[in-house]
């Protein structure tokens, strides 16, 4: 099972217009390039009751379909643990005893890329590790596991940004609470679902090199990426529910149908008269998708019925 695109939302609330736009683009890119399309519910970090069902209903309402049943990430715990064991057996993991404050203070050093782990626990002696492990245990805490990344940078191919080279951090692969981290789970599950094309928001472009290197280390195919523009409010912040009527449910209260919402999203992509996701996919085609501008979509939330 290969040649697959995907959409992998976290069930933390209702989709806003930007989420729906990204979903349409991910679906359109997969279908236009002759791929399967799968849906994964990434509930490993947190989930809000009922969100996954509402998200699925929203995708169906705008005309997005998928191949097979949605995959729920928390059902994949055994596979995530197996990947951790494989990395550990090859000496590619190390325990991290740092608190968030420790990392924040150490990461202010001038040689550390912004937001990256400074390598505090990477080269500790076994005696130092034992002492720090015991100190954490006395506090009722356990160490996290981080990847001992063999390369400090990695290059990925992006449909909109071309070859993109970014720094690779010694990122967390298992949190201190024992839960596999998002970066590990996403890579393992993409491989399981045959995903070789990842279309998602451009805010995740900087994570792609680390995820691609991890896929390589696990012997999984490295996907091609397409990091599409985000939807922003008029203030320049990420679009959020506080910005007005930005979800399907909000817009229905204003008299908008799901087809009206698709039309609104289509206009933002230069497509007029769209009523279903397939209309946008057909109008853009693969060349139109590859020619998308990387500028953000600045959204003025609707206030009345779509004309």
């Amino acid at each position: 099972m290969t040649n697959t695109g995907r959409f992998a939302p976290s069930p933390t609330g209702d989709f806003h217009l930007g989420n729906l736009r990204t979903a349409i683009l991910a679906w359109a890119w997969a279908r236009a390039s002759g791929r399967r399309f799968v849906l994964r519910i990434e509930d490993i970090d947190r989930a809000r009751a009922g969100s996954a069902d509402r998200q699925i209903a929203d995708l169906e309402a705008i005309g997005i379909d998928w191949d097979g049943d949605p995959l729920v990430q928390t059902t994949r715990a055994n596979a995530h643990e197996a990947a951790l064991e494989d990395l550990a057996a090859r000496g590619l993991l190390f325990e991290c005893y740092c608190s968030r404050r420790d990392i924040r203070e150490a990461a202010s050093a001038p040689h550390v890329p912004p937001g990256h782990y400074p390598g505090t626990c990477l080269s500790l002696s076994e005696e130092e590790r034992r002492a720090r492990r015991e100190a954490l245990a006395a506090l009722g805490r356990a160490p996290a596991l981080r990847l001992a990344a063999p390369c400090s940078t990695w290059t990925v191919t992006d449909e909109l940004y071309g070859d993109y080279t970014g720094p690779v951090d010694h990122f967390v692969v298992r949190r201190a609470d024992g839960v596999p981290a998002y970066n590990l789970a996403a890579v393992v599950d993409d491989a399981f679902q045959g995903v070789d094309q990842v279309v998602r928001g451009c805010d995740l472009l900087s994570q792609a090199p680390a995820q691609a290197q991890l896929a390589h280390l696990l012997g999984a195919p490295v996907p091609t990426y397409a990091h599409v523009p985000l939807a922003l409010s008029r203030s320049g912040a990420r679009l959020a529910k506080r910005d007005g009527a930005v979800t399907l449910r909000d817009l229905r209260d204003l008299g908008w149908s799901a087809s009206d919402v698709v039309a609104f999203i289509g206009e933002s992509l230069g497509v007029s008269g769209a009523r279903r996701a397939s209309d946008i996919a057909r109008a853009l085609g693969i060349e139109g998708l590859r020619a998308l501008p990387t500028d953000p979509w600045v959204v003025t939330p609707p206030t009345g019925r779509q004309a």
Side-chain angles (χ1 to χ4, degrees):
M1 182 175 62
T2 55
N3 297 324
T4 302
R6 52 89 152 167
F7 187 57
S10 298
T12 56
D14 290 351
F15 289 142
H16 58 59
L17 289 165
N19 303 136
L20 295 172
R21 187 180 194 247
T22 298
I24 289 173
L25 289 173
W27 180 84
W29 227 303
R31 296 309 192 202
S33 57
R35 285 175 166 85
R36 299 171 67 255
F37 185 74
V38 297
L39 179 64
R40 183 166 71 242
I41 306 301
E42 295 196 329
D43 61 340
I44 199 164
D45 285 333
R46 61 190 187 279
R48 184 175 298 173
S51 285
D53 289 340
R54 292 196 303 275
Q55 290 178 349
I56 288 171
D58 284 355
L59 295 176
E60 291 174 337
I62 62 175
I64 289 178
D65 63 352
W66 45 88
D67 298 289
D69 294 330
L71 179 68
V72 178
Q73 195 165 57
T74 49
T75 66
R76 297 269 301 146
N78 289 342
H80 303 153
E81 188 59 35
L84 289 169
E85 291 173 359
D86 175 41
L87 293 169
R90 290 187 281 145
L92 290 170
L93 301 184
F94 66 95
E95 291 183 344
C96 177
Y97 315 96
C98 299
S99 67
R100 290 183 180 178
R101 180 178 178 179
D102 294 335
I103 295 170
R104 185 171 60 250
E105 291 176 351
S108 63
H111 65 282
V112 179
H116 277 225
Y117 176 69
T120 308
C121 301
L122 178 60
S123 301
L124 297 177
S125 68
E126 187 51 46
E127 183 178 347
E128 290 171 318
R129 294 184 193 282
R130 183 168 53 252
R132 297 193 185 200
R133 196 180 300 124
E134 290 173 356
L136 279 186
L139 298 172
R141 294 168 49 198
L145 289 179
R146 289 182 178 272
L147 179 73
C151 300
S152 60
T153 63
W154 198 265
T155 300
V156 298
T157 300
D158 188 279
E159 295 274 18
L160 299 180
Y161 291 88
D163 287 344
Y164 172 82
T165 301
V168 177
D169 196 6
H170 299 299
F171 55 90
V172 171
V173 290
R174 191 185 71 191
R175 301 181 333 211
D177 61 4
V179 176
Y182 161 76
N183 278 324
L184 178 117
V187 168
V188 171
D189 293 344
D190 277 345
F192 174 71
Q193 293 187 284
V195 171
D196 69 340
Q197 179 190 76
V198 172
V199 179
R200 58 188 183 183
C202 63
D203 56 321
L204 296 175
L205 176 60
S206 63
Q207 293 188 25
Q211 293 175 350
Q213 184 180 131
L214 179 57
H216 174 76
L217 291 172
L218 291 171
V222 175
T224 295
Y225 296 89
H227 287 88
V228 299
L230 297 180
L232 303 181
S233 68
R234 285 171 293 180
S235 70
R238 284 191 192 187
L239 191 67
K241 193 166 183 180
R242 63 178 175 273
D243 294 311
V246 295
T247 69
L248 277 185
R249 282 155 192 78
D250 294 336
L251 289 163
R252 285 188 185 117
D253 290 342
L254 295 178
W256 285 51
S257 67
S259 295
D260 294 332
V261 174
V262 172
F264 188 67
I265 292 172
E267 291 289 346
S268 78
L269 296 166
V271 177
S272 297
R275 305 300 288 171
R276 303 280 286 174
S278 56
D279 296 329
I280 295 176
R282 190 179 306 111
L284 290 175
I286 192 64
E287 294 306 319
L289 289 164
R290 289 172 175 157
L292 286 175
T294 56
D295 298 331
W297 178 30
V298 179
V299 180
T300 300
T303 56
R305 183 180 177 84
Q306 171 81 324

